[in-house]
Amino acid sequence: MSEQTLTEDFKKATAYELTDHDIERAKLMLHVDLASRDQEQIGTASIDNIRSFAYSCGSDNPLFCNPEHAASSRWGSVIAPSMMAGVINRPMLGDPLPEELKAATKSLFRGIHMFISGGEWTFYRPIFPGDTLYSFGGEDGLEVKQSEFAGRSVTRFNSQVKVNQRGEVVSVYRYRAILTERKKARETGKYKDIQPATYTEEDLAHIDEVYSAERSRGAEPLYFEDLEIGSALPGGASGPLTVTDVVNFHGGGYGWVPYGLRSGRMWNNNRKRIAPFYVKNAYGIPDVAQRLHWDSEWAQAIGNPMAYDYGVMRENYLFRYLTDWVGDNGWVFKQYDEIRKFNYMGDTQFISGEVVGKRVENGLNLVDVKVKMTNQRGEETVLCDAVVALPSRDGALVLPPVPLELQTRASKMMARHWELLAGKRKP
């Protein structure tokens, strides 16, 4: 988008500032457990939407995609990639935010650009077809710092507990949301000199080789005893990134909450509801600010050289890599990742990993691994610390137990949900 096409609407959209007032108001929301009222595109897992989500992450792992194969596994059925918990949600009923707190935090960080810079997943139980997920949680941390890319920034830490219809804790996701001023990111121009990636036939042949060597372990066991500290994990890849990848990821269920990608009358109603989220393009058409993930013109207007992925896409690609490695009989217990660089359209991420620790805790055979993504420019874009649980040669896989305090919180929230639901159904 050139200077000539910077409309008054665009200038207005980039005029919102991070204020001390908003930062102080945000602190009021710390450690407030709230039931999530969100209705995601997917509320209940099924064989079909599990397969669609796996495909959207580039995974053809038969445990997720092949019911016949999965039926003979230790799980007896297809299960979802555990990270799919992030896109499955039905509204949980719960006590509302107190009116005074709701009023005090209304329109918090209105018009401020936000992106996810990584997070930490802890997985306790598998998601089966027929499972419905609910969630609760909220902000549990806030940091203010100076950013090279965008001046002052605010990091909000949010934890969401995912619970199934049986009241069992399935997983916990704690993510870091970075809030920056759109105009500041544009003014610094930190990344303006990055050029789009181009590929020779030799470059593509190298990527082909990496992909050809990838495979899902499937039913072949990976035993705890088979690994040594310092052992390298197999190589992997993701990319080159295209707009098609972003479209596929949305098609798998991601990105419809909280803002919503809508069409027709729903688009019209949504932009009236959250007007600052809609910014006119060069043709005068209001479109979502979120389009910086597929519209390079808009991405350039707010300080990036081209469109880029969602950080959570790479989180899912790392999970795909880890689940391929551990196979049907292993379990990815924890995945902590830091997104260090943008993944621009055309970039390829090469994945590598190493075993850095082994231990037995409470009957669990745990293996610590470090994994990273490195792009074609040789830059490390994501660093990941993961913990996997494996079977031993003389014993089956043991799943991690849910901490009592966490399960107690979840049981209390779900009991309140069912109580309120029963009240709504009374004649």
Side-chain angles (χ1 to χ4, degrees), residues 18 113 115 117 143-155 177-191 302-304 339-342:
L18 282 169
H113 177 55
F115 59 92
S117 70
E143 294 178 356
V144 181
K145 60 178 65 175
Q146 287 297 123
S147 160
E148 290 183 27
F149 173 58
R152 185 165 72 158
S153 67
V154 172
T155 303
I178 310 295
L179 291 91
T180 62
E181 297 174 10
R182 292 169 181 159
K183 66 177 180 179
K184 293 284 180 62
R186 186 172 185 275
E187 288 167 359
T188 62
K190 179 181 177 182
Y191 301 112
I302 58 174
N304 270 289
I339 307 222
R340 298 294 186 88
K341 297 281 187 181
F342 290 99

Side-chain angles (χ1 to χ4, degrees), residues 129-167:
D131 280 353
T132 298
L133 297 190
Y134 306 86
S135 60
F136 69 91
E139 310 294 331
D140 62 7
L142 184 145
E143 294 178 356
V144 181
K145 60 178 65 175
Q146 287 297 123
S147 160
E148 290 183 27
F149 173 58
R152 185 165 72 158
S153 67
V154 172
T155 303
R156 303 181 79 185
F157 297 87
N158 186 297
S159 291
Q160 291 295 312
V161 182
K162 306 296 293 192
V163 187
N164 65 23
Q165 73 277 12
R166 294 178 292 277

Side-chain angles (χ1 to χ4, degrees), residues 139-276:
E139 310 294 331
D140 62 7
L142 184 145
E143 294 178 356
V144 181
K145 60 178 65 175
Q146 287 297 123
S147 160
E148 290 183 27
F149 173 58
R152 185 165 72 158
S153 67
V154 172
T155 303
R156 303 181 79 185
F157 297 87
N158 186 297
S159 291
Q160 291 295 312
V161 182
K162 306 296 293 192
V163 187
N164 65 23
Q165 73 277 12
R166 294 178 292 277
E168 300 167 334
V169 174
V170 171
S171 57
V172 178
Y173 182 37
R174 187 174 192 256
Y175 62 87
R176 301 181 298 280
I178 310 295
L179 291 91
T180 62
E181 297 174 10
R182 292 169 181 159
K183 66 177 180 179
K184 293 284 180 62
R186 186 172 185 275
E187 288 167 359
T188 62
K190 179 181 177 182
Y191 301 112
K192 63 182 177 60
D193 294 329
I194 294 177
Q195 297 299 310
T198 58
Y199 292 84
T200 65
E201 288 302 318
E202 290 76 16
D203 294 331
L204 294 175
H206 173 59
I207 296 171
D208 286 345
E209 287 178 8
V210 177
Y211 275 127
S212 297
E214 286 188 0
R215 69 182 184 91
S216 171
R217 182 179 299 275
E220 178 189 344
L222 176 64
Y223 292 114
F224 181 72
E225 294 86 351
D226 293 342
L227 296 175
E228 296 181 359
I229 295 176
S231 299
L233 275 63
S238 180
L241 178 69
T242 65
V243 172
T244 303
D245 294 322
V246 177
V247 172
N248 279 336
F249 196 55
H250 280 300
Y254 177 77
W256 305 95
V257 170
Y259 303 115
L261 302 175
R262 299 291 183 254
S263 301
R265 183 171 62 249
M266 296 178 71
W267 160 79
N268 191 60
N269 292 338
N270 205 40
R271 72 183 183 87
K272 291 177 181 176
R273 181 179 69 88
I274 46 173

